[in-house]
Amino acid sequence: MSSDIGKEGHKLLKYILLQCRGGFEAECAAEIAEHCSAIEIAGFPRFEVNSGYVLYEVFGDALECIQRIPFRSLIFVRQWFACLPVFDDLPSHDRLSVLLGPVADLPVSAELLAEVPDTTDGREVLPFAGKLASAMAQTLRQQGVMLPRKARADWRMHLFALSGKKLFVGVSPKRNSSNLEMGIRRLKFPGAAPSRSTLKLEEAWHWFIPQAEWSERLGGGKTAVDLGAAPGGWTWQLVKQGMFVTSVDNGPMAESLMDTGQVTHEKADAFHFQPAKPVDWMVCDVADKPARVTSRMLDWALNGWCHEMIFNLKLPMKKRYQEVRQSLALIEQELQEAGISYRLSARHLYHDREEITCHLVLR
Ligand SMILES: C[S@@+](CC[C@H](N)C(=O)[O-])C[C@H]1O[C@@H](n2cnc3c(N)ncnc32)[C@H](O)[C@@H]1O
């Protein structure tokens, strides 16, 4: 077997392409390096700040990395795939014939996602990427290299275009990557919600809670506390699920929410407020130092004041990755020491800006 042919006969892929929010490339690079190192695969990142992606070169098999590292454990990575070396300087009159040969060596897939960096420049390339991807998928299917759209396949193919001349092609395991193009969940802003922040909580539920569990975990007249609630975008989502909400904020809540009869407004400090009895949900969107928010979230968890929580950690300008790691490690350490069973996850959601969203389930 030649040295660059992988276990299943595929060409050994040495690159992982990781997509992230523009400006978070360093966090994305630090994260993949840490995870690869944990499975004893060395590598190094290449990226430009604000490019919206990181290319990670591994000294090993990129396909192995993206199968062994759980995609859902990554915070800053929206989407990923193992890829062939960059296609640069593609001839505009016949891009397909350059792409088709190398692509035939990839694991077999039944779909091709057209993707671009989520930046102003990147989005301009999306129509081109879409057209090229559909022409490529059609030709690959005619050649028997790609399966029909509805066929079962373990892999999906990605075409990630930087321009009409420069692009990356690769594959991701369907069960260990995002099924959404560019890993972006697009949600329609509900006109009746009092603020755009509402989309952060809705996206958080989509990411952290399987749809089949929504009615059991969110519905049925549950109780909730919303810390830093005004004007009420998150409270609106809780009310929409039928919850009875205590909204804590010194600022004013939208009248429309108060009229539902499901909301009690407490003009209090989120860092001192305690519920009279445990609630099902606590959510927190207070803008404060991550360490201070983390400490208060721990108070809630250790005192058993709620069963499930979603909270945002607003990230400082510097050492963002370190700050996130410290906060999450502290929560894990304190809960383990207290003998509390929990599940903790975190994600830099599409609707998050300089912040990440955390989800903690206490059992
Ligand atoms: C980003 S806004 C929340 C937006 C809200 N989630 C929504 O969807 O409309 C942050 C809120 O936290 C509140 N806040 C900041 N510090 C607070 C504190 N110590 N106690 C209570 N509320 C606080 C602010 O008044 C502000 O309304």
Side-chain angles (χ1 to χ4, degrees):
M1 193 160 75
S2 125
S3 63
D4 67 347
I5 300 294
K7 287 190 202 82
E8 292 168 38
H10 308 304
K11 202 173 170 68
L12 199 68
L13 298 174
K14 295 183 192 276
Y15 302 93
I16 308 172
L17 193 135
L18 306 119
Q19 299 170 49
C20 62
R21 185 182 187 90
F24 283 81
E25 298 79 13
E27 286 71 23
C28 182
E31 190 167 35
I32 190 65
E34 194 177 292
H35 279 81
C36 282
S37 148
I39 58 167
E40 297 182 341
I41 295 181
F44 66 94
R46 290 200 193 94
F47 64 86
E48 278 174 35
V49 175
N50 294 323
S51 64
Y53 74 99
V54 170
L55 189 64
Y56 195 73
E57 182 167 353
V58 294
F59 302 119
D61 185 356
L63 284 177
E64 181 185 344
C65 296
I66 62 167
Q67 289 177 93
R68 286 182 62 195
I69 299 168
F71 180 67
R72 292 187 71 86
S73 69
L74 299 166
I75 301 170
F76 291 97
V77 181
R78 285 180 180 171
Q79 178 66 292
W80 69 355
F81 59 91
C83 70
L84 297 161
V86 63
F87 291 95
D88 212 345
D89 220 9
L90 283 173
S92 53
H93 58 278
D94 191 13
R95 297 179 181 94
L96 275 187
S97 55
V98 178
L99 296 171
L100 294 177
V103 164
D105 285 334
L106 296 171
V108 177
S109 52
E111 63 181 306
L112 173 52
L113 294 189
E115 300 181 317
V116 295
D118 183 27
T119 60
T120 310
D121 288 349
R123 284 184 288 274
E124 281 179 16
V125 186
L126 196 52
F128 157 77
K131 277 188 208 144
L132 182 61
S134 76
M136 190 162 138
Q138 194 183 4
T139 311
L140 289 172
R141 287 195 183 103
Q142 281 163 1
Q143 294 181 345
V145 174
M146 181 176 269
L147 297 171
R149 202 181 303 274
K150 291 199 174 141
R152 282 172 67 115
D154 292 335
W155 299 88
R156 67 166 64 85
M157 193 181 286
H158 301 251
L159 183 151
F160 183 80
L162 303 181
S163 70
K165 290 188 160 183
K166 187 169 179 179
L167 53 86
F168 294 89
V169 179
V171 287
S172 68
K174 282 179 81 169
R175 264 177 278 158
N176 201 35
S177 58
S178 173
N179 59 353
L180 303 170
E181 272 163 352
M182 298 154 68
I184 293 178
R185 180 167 297 277
R186 298 188 189 279
L187 295 170
K188 192 166 178 290
F189 174 66
S195 72
R196 288 202 70 80
S197 290
T198 198
L199 295 177
K200 288 192 290 185
L201 185 57
E202 187 181 347
E203 188 187 353
W205 282 340
H206 279 288
W207 178 253
F208 294 117
I209 304 181
Q211 195 92 44
E213 295 175 21
W214 276 36
S215 66
E216 180 201 333
R217 287 168 68 182
L218 301 173
K222 294 206 165 29
T223 50
V225 168
D226 182 358
L227 300 177
W234 286 29
T235 295
W236 187 87
Q237 291 288 346
L238 299 162
V239 164
K240 191 169 149 234
Q241 296 295 332
M243 296 196 205
F244 292 88
V245 189
T246 303
S247 301
V248 182
D249 203 306
N250 279 314
M253 293 293 291
E255 276 305 319
S256 55
L257 278 174
M258 303 312 298
D259 292 345
T260 62
Q262 284 170 249
V263 180
T264 307
H265 184 187
E266 287 277 352
K267 292 193 174 172
D269 186 336
F271 292 97
H272 293 119
F273 175 84
Q274 266 180 239
K277 54 182 186 177
V279 291
D280 297 301
W281 274 91
M282 184 272 275
V283 298
C284 173
D285 192 22
V286 170
D288 210 307
K289 291 195 179 74
R292 191 163 184 237
V293 172
T294 299
S295 161
R296 192 59 185 161
M297 298 301 103
L298 270 169
D299 291 341
W300 276 74
L302 295 169
N303 287 298
W305 291 340
C306 64
H307 298 305
E308 201 156 346
M309 59 174 96
I310 281 182
F311 56 95
N312 270 355
L313 293 179
K314 314 283 172 185
L315 301 180
M317 289 310 287
K318 286 188 184 158
K319 297 193 175 168
R320 297 189 292 207
Y321 189 66
Q322 205 176 321
E323 192 84 40
V324 167
R325 278 275 160 252
Q326 269 172 11
S327 284
L328 299 180
L330 181 67
I331 294 173
E332 306 230 21
Q333 185 193 326
E334 299 241 344
L335 293 179
Q336 281 163 19
E337 279 175 17
I340 295 174
S341 302
Y342 67 94
R343 203 172 61 238
L344 175 65
S345 10
R347 177 88 174 154
H348 191 203
L349 299 171
Y350 174 64
H351 292 94
D352 283 336
R353 291 173 180 266
E354 304 289 314
E355 64 203 331
I356 60 159
T357 301
C358 305
H359 177 223
L360 181 61
V361 188
L362 302 154
R363 282 169 283 184

